[in-house]
């Protein structure tokens, strides 16, 4: 058991180091290539490098390959996880560059989730199997929707994968602990550059893979309840948006406004969301992010408690 925990930790450290070392050069190259976006929640609206999630994928990929080398008996689970994350990342890159429609993105993410079916238990029904790629598509979109503020999606990802990593270790699910710890390490490294004030945005290539990875762990590790719990902040946000406006394309969104003092203000009308529910009065961007992180921490702790109470069970 100690060796397995050590392996997960090693993979997490490798992912952290690769992403952390890669990001400065990646940020520079993205800016030189004019792959940038405006930070609309700042008075000066500075240009910030986009598609930084490429660095997360790089760190995660190398860590997973190390995991395959150290534990070849888990080659199938780890390799399929890597394939799904790479496919999801490619879809995110395409969306960042040419802006896919909601339907196109949902369908492509469903396709990206199909390989997980090959490494799920053979004694499950067809409906269970079909639910897997659907869950990938939904979760990836949920982690992509609760985004836009410096560090908010990356920080929530760090919280979710910390909870999942601890939960998987508690429940002796070490194959998916390697997956979780690898993504955790890459996200922690990326957060150094994405936290307020951000030097880089993850782009859809970074946000989509967070939800996809949570579902990979949920189905391969059979910890679906815990995965659901850590996604609750994103689920609340998605339900608030859907209830207020239904399905809406990204270009139709009315962005959160900034007042003369640089504080965030919820616009009148438009859709509701978790962020706008917090913005009952003008607030600093970093304060809003910290409140959302705190909500994520509460559900992350709940996930760990559920794992502890269900040691040896399939949840």
């Amino acid at each position: 058991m100690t060796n397995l925990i050590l392996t997960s930790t090693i993979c997490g450290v490798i992912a952290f180091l690769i992403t952390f070392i890669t990001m400065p050069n990646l940020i520079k190259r993205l800016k030189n290539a004019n792959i940038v976006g405006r930070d609309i929640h700042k008075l000066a609206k500075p240009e910030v490098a986009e598609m930084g999630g490429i660095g997360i994928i790089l760190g995660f990929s190398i860590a997973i390959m190390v995991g395959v080398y150290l534990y070849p008996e888990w080659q199938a689970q780890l390799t399929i996880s890597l394939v799904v994350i790479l496919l999801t990342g490619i879809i995110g890159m395409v969306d960042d560059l040419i802006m896919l429609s909601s339907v196109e993105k949902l369908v492509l993410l469903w396709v990206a989730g199909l390989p997980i079916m090959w490494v799920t238990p053979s004694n499950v029904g067809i409906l269970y199997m079909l639910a897997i790629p659907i869950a990938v598509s939904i979760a990836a979109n949920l982690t992509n929707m609760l985004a836009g503020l410096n560090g908010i999606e990356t920080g929530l990802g760090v919280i979710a994968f910390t909870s999942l990593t601890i939960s998987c270790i508690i429940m002796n699910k070490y194959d998916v602990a390697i997956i979780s710890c690898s993504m955790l390490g890459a996200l922690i490294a990326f957060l150094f550059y994405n936290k307020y004030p951000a030097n880089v945005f993850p782009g859809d290539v970074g946000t989509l893979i967070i939800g996809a990875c949570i579902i990979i762990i949920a189905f391969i590790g059979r910890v679906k309840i815990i995965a659901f719990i850590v996604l609750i902040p994103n689920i609340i946000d998605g339900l608030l948006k859907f209830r207020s406006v239904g399905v809406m394309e990204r270009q139709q969104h009315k962005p959160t406004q900034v007042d003369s003092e640089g504080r965030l203000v919820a616009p009148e009308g438009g859709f509701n969301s978790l962020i706008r529910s917090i913005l009952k009065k003008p607030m600093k961007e970093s304060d809003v992010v910290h409140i959302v992180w705190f909500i994520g921490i509460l559900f992350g702790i709940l996930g760990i408690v559920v794992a502890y109470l269900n040691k040896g069970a399939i949840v």
Side-chain angles (χ1 to χ4, degrees):
M1 183 180 75
T2 302
N3 288 339
L4 293 169
I5 294 174
L6 180 60
T7 300
S8 298
T9 304
I10 289 171
C11 290
V13 170
I14 289 171
F16 173 89
L17 291 174
I18 295 297
T19 300
F20 190 81
I21 293 169
T22 300
M23 286 312 303
N25 188 46
L26 178 60
I27 291 169
K28 181 180 178 181
R29 286 176 176 268
L30 289 169
K31 285 185 174 179
N32 289 341
N34 199 34
I35 302 176
V36 295
R38 291 283 180 183
D39 192 340
I40 60 173
H41 299 121
K42 306 287 189 303
L43 285 174
K45 308 271 190 299
E47 284 191 341
V48 178
E50 274 276 15
M51 290 174 58
I54 294 170
I56 301 172
I57 291 177
L58 181 61
F60 175 82
S61 300
I62 294 175
I64 291 297
M65 286 187 279
V66 171
V68 170
Y69 174 78
L70 293 174
Y71 284 93
E73 63 268 31
W74 292 336
Q75 179 179 354
Q77 298 97 309
L78 297 179
T79 303
I80 290 296
S81 301
L82 179 55
V83 168
V84 173
I85 293 301
L86 290 175
L87 289 174
T88 304
I90 291 170
I91 294 165
M93 291 176 66
V94 172
D95 192 33
D96 284 328
L97 294 172
I98 65 173
M99 197 174 294
L100 299 168
S101 71
S102 297
V103 173
E104 289 171 333
K105 197 189 304 184
L106 282 168
V107 172
L108 288 172
L109 288 169
W110 181 84
V111 173
L114 287 173
I116 306 175
M117 297 167 64
W118 300 337
V119 287
T120 52
S122 58
N123 60 344
V124 297
I126 185 65
L127 292 178
Y128 182 95
M129 298 288 281
L130 292 174
I132 297 171
I134 294 172
V136 170
S137 185
I138 293 172
N141 272 286
L142 286 173
T143 54
N144 185 47
M145 288 168 63
L146 182 47
L149 304 184
N150 292 178
I152 190 168
E153 55 269 74
T154 311
L156 278 176
V158 168
I159 294 163
F161 285 105
T162 299
S163 176
L164 282 169
T165 300
I166 295 172
S167 297
C168 289
I169 290 172
I170 289 172
M171 302 181 73
N172 300 320
K173 298 176 182 294
Y174 296 108
D175 51 346
V176 286
I178 291 175
I179 300 168
S180 183
C181 207
S182 297
M183 184 58 74
L184 174 60
L187 287 173
I188 292 174
F190 186 78
L191 187 58
F192 276 91
Y193 302 94
N194 180 232
K195 69 181 188 309
Y196 183 93
N199 293 313
V200 63
F201 295 146
D204 284 8
V205 62
T207 56
L208 292 175
I209 62 173
I210 294 173
C213 194
I214 290 173
I215 296 303
I216 289 169
I217 294 164
F219 281 92
I220 295 179
R222 307 192 78 176
V223 289
K224 295 180 288 297
I225 292 176
I226 297 167
F228 175 83
I229 290 171
V230 301
L231 275 172
I232 286 177
N234 304 87
I235 294 169
I236 292 171
D237 180 70
L239 289 174
L240 287 171
K241 289 174 178 173
F242 184 76
R243 182 182 178 189
S244 58
V245 294
V247 177
M248 185 169 63
E249 299 296 337
R250 178 168 44 184
Q251 57 268 31
Q252 297 175 295
H253 292 181
K254 188 176 181 181
T256 303
Q257 298 169 349
V258 182
D259 68 12
S260 59
E261 297 181 25
R263 299 174 301 179
L264 299 184
V265 180
E268 294 187 13
F271 62 86
N272 193 13
S273 68
L274 181 59
I275 292 172
R276 294 184 184 186
S277 297
I278 293 169
L279 281 173
K280 299 301 183 183
K281 61 179 181 179
M283 295 178 65
K284 293 180 180 178
E285 179 181 358
S286 57
D287 290 342
V288 177
V289 171
H290 292 157
I291 291 172
V292 174
W293 284 358
F294 178 73
I295 295 171
I297 289 170
L298 293 179
F299 286 107
I301 292 171
L302 177 60
I304 295 170
V305 171
V306 170
Y308 180 79
L309 295 175
N310 290 274
K311 286 188 291 186
I314 296 172
V315 297

